[in-house]
Amino acid sequence: MPPAGRRCPAAHPEDPTPCVGSVVVTVLDRVNAGADGCEHHGARLLASLAGGRVYALPHAAPGTAIRVFTAAAGIRPFCWLDGPRVEPSQLSEIENRARHGR
């Protein structure tokens, strides 16, 4: 877990949710800029990136990166924002696949 009162680097400043567990993944964007995070914030960050990737840190349990990747597919980008979500860029990967019959 991050130190008391602090959240992992993958937590977006506007995302009000607390960390869940310890820092176990690195999430990278298309240009390899990244942040380490707990599974919860790692998934939320990955869902908000186009072309993002996730890697388990060496001390992470087996399957950690797959869990984060799978969770991210069902999370809408910037899911803490309110408002209507109808554009493909505002929907989760799963919602977009369902729209296109995949």
Side-chain angles (χ1 to χ4, degrees):
M1 294 283 295
R6 294 183 51 198
R7 297 184 310 151
C8 66
H12 191 281
E14 295 177 20
D15 180 349
T17 61
C19 286
V20 178
S22 59
V23 173
V24 290
V25 295
T26 297
V27 177
L28 299 175
D29 66 11
R30 286 185 177 168
V31 297
N32 292 327
D36 293 344
C38 65
E39 287 190 39
H40 173 72
H41 288 118
R44 289 164 79 95
L45 175 58
L46 185 62
S48 300
L49 295 174
R53 302 174 316 282
V54 61
Y55 298 93
L57 294 173
H59 63 275
T64 298
I66 295 295
R67 279 193 305 279
V68 170
F69 181 83
T70 302
I75 299 171
R76 289 180 169 182
F78 304 100
C79 59
W80 53 90
L81 298 176
D82 290 331
R85 302 237 172 180
V86 294
E87 298 297 321
S89 65
Q90 299 170 322
L91 301 176
S92 72
E93 286 292 321
I94 291 173
E95 289 171 318
N96 279 315
R97 279 188 249 142
R99 274 185 158 191
H100 300 289
R102 293 186 243 162

